[in-house]
Amino acid sequence: MALSAREPRVAPERLVAELVPPLRFETVRFDTYLPDPKQPSQGAAVKALDAFASGLGEGARAGTGRGGLWPRRARRRQPPEPRGIYLDGGYGVGKTHLLASLWHAAPVPREAKAFGTFVELTNLVGALGFRRTVDTLAGHRLLCIDEFELDDPGDTVLISSLLGQLAARGVALAATSNTLPGRLGEGRFAAADFLREIQGLAAHFRTLRIDGEDYRHRGLPRAPEPRPEEEVIRVAHATPGASLDAFGPLLDHLRRVHPSRYGALLGGVETVCLTGVRPVPDQATALRLVVLADRLYDREIPVLASGVPFDRLFGEEMLNGGYRKKYHRAVSRLTALARDAAAAA
């Protein structure tokens, strides 16, 4: 099959139903997270998140005046604490593992908690509309947002308004990012012009810093070299559930498919085979590829490729620009998936 031949359609209701941890994080729990003993912040984060999850039990609904995450008496004597928790750290320190563990540990019904990436959240607003999104998510006790990033002023105002209304209606918030909440949008647009919205977002969270190295490369061999094109084609034809695409046409196809449908684009695919991988030509294409890399990683789909190595996908200007953290994350994840494909091949 070819991904570039697919035209997936996704109903808005499915977008809501799929707001759960992806397959890769379906079985993770706090006790399956292995803190690096050299990084005390990792163990401290586990304890803080475990306590946060416990505070989400029956009757603990923030901001409603009926109990809450903090005792009533304490709230009277001191300024109200943020109603969310924010995990800040580099690539591969286990932030998504911990966020998914929080979702699993929260003692509330499955339908009362939601988990999605920042992109999936903005796509949900685009599919449902702002008011319907607020009303839908306001029925939840916990909203977990992975890979929190602000790429443009529109997203800043949109998410600031959305999270403000959800917090006011008692929804507890948890998020991960590589950027401190007060510095979201920095280097991407005129963040100073939207300082009020950014500071408003930061006010919803208290920050937990998680230090450490990228576990995907900790003690592992270097990323495998790209394979010869004829080998990639042979493996694609010999592997059940494999897709086969030339890299250039696939990038063109991604331009015609909304990122909210990239997950559906991969439905039923067990292995992705790519020929002719080359540096991405422009920023818009690169950002679409980042979303595809995230969906591939979520679904644990190996990627076998010919062409240039994945660490040469993005040019120096991109890797040093405002979206550099997205690109580094994509390289890290695609490298992990390339190792999986090399082992399978």
Side-chain angles (χ1 to χ4, degrees), residues 267-312:
V269 177
E270 302 291 336
T271 302
V272 166
C273 296
L274 301 173
T275 60
V277 172
R278 54 178 170 75
V280 181
D282 59 79
Q283 193 112 262
T285 303
L287 291 172
R288 286 190 288 269
L289 182 60
V290 167
V291 177
L292 181 66
D294 289 339
R295 301 292 79 78
L296 287 165
Y297 186 76
D298 289 345
R299 289 158 176 76
E300 300 183 310
I301 299 176
V303 179
L304 189 70
S306 69
V308 304
F310 285 133
D311 59 5
R312 289 171 51 192

Side-chain angles (χ1 to χ4, degrees), residues 88-160:
D88 174 65
Y91 326 104
V93 296
K95 299 187 301 297
T96 302
H97 182 134
L98 290 173
L99 188 69
S101 298
L102 170 64
W103 187 92
H104 288 298
V108 298
R110 185 181 181 89
E111 62 273 13
K113 48 189 177 182
F115 183 107
T117 65
F118 180 83
V119 171
E120 288 173 321
L121 187 61
T122 55
N123 289 339
L124 183 65
V125 176
L128 300 184
F130 182 82
R131 178 48 51 195
R132 188 177 171 191
T133 301
V134 171
D135 291 340
T136 299
L137 296 179
H140 292 66
R141 299 280 289 281
L142 172 66
L143 172 62
C144 296
I145 311 167
D146 199 21
E147 300 156 9
F148 204 116
E149 293 287 351
L150 295 181
D151 298 334
D152 59 55
D155 280 349
T156 303
V157 176
L158 174 70
I159 297 303
S160 176

Side-chain angles (χ1 to χ4, degrees), residues 205-216:
F205 300 99
R206 65 183 176 97
T207 301
L208 288 180
R209 174 69 190 178
I210 305 177
D211 301 300
E213 301 174 358
D214 187 338
Y215 80 91
R216 288 180 285 265

Side-chain angles (χ1 to χ4, degrees), residues 49 52 56 62 69-70 81-87 102 142-143 163 167 171-175 181 201-208:
L49 286 167
F52 186 81
L56 296 172
L69 296 178
W70 295 272
E81 294 202 37
R83 297 178 182 132
I85 199 161
Y86 189 98
L87 307 181
L102 170 64
L142 172 66
L143 172 62
L163 296 189
V171 181
L173 307 171
L201 282 170
H204 295 307
F205 300 99
R206 65 183 176 97
T207 301
L208 288 180

